[in-house]
Amino acid sequence: MDQLVGLYAELAKAVRPLVLPRLAPDPDDDVVITTGVAAKAEFVVTGDRTLLSIAKYQSTRIISVLSRLGDHWLIG
């Protein structure tokens, strides 16, 4: 388990969410969106239907865990 955590830590990048105007119908989702944007993430993957209603903010797409990316399915 420690080895797995160590490998993940090597890949992880700490970011602070951006401060942006209210974006999501549920204000608790704003931090998810702004963290994705701050990290310059291509995707935020979620099962939250309210968050999925945003679909995209700036260059970050918000997609379902059941989305298909190219030849791969994301299944959460």
Side-chain angles (χ1 to χ4, degrees):
M1 182 65 148
D2 290 339
Q3 185 178 11
L4 179 61
V5 171
L7 290 171
Y8 180 75
E10 289 177 21
L11 298 173
K13 176 182 171 185
V15 296
R16 292 186 191 271
L18 300 174
V19 177
L20 295 171
R22 176 108 183 261
L23 303 169
D26 179 351
D28 292 338
D29 291 338
D30 286 348
V31 70
V32 177
I33 298 167
T34 58
T35 300
V37 172
K40 298 180 180 153
E42 186 174 350
F43 302 101
V44 168
V45 181
T46 184
D48 183 313
R49 288 184 182 162
T50 306
L51 184 55
L52 287 166
S53 72
I54 304 299
K56 184 175 182 179
Y57 185 77
Q58 295 184 4
S59 62
T60 301
R61 289 180 43 206
I62 301 164
I63 63 171
S64 167
V65 294
L66 298 177
S67 294
R68 185 174 178 159
L69 294 177
D71 293 331
H72 304 283
W73 284 91
L74 299 175
I75 300 174

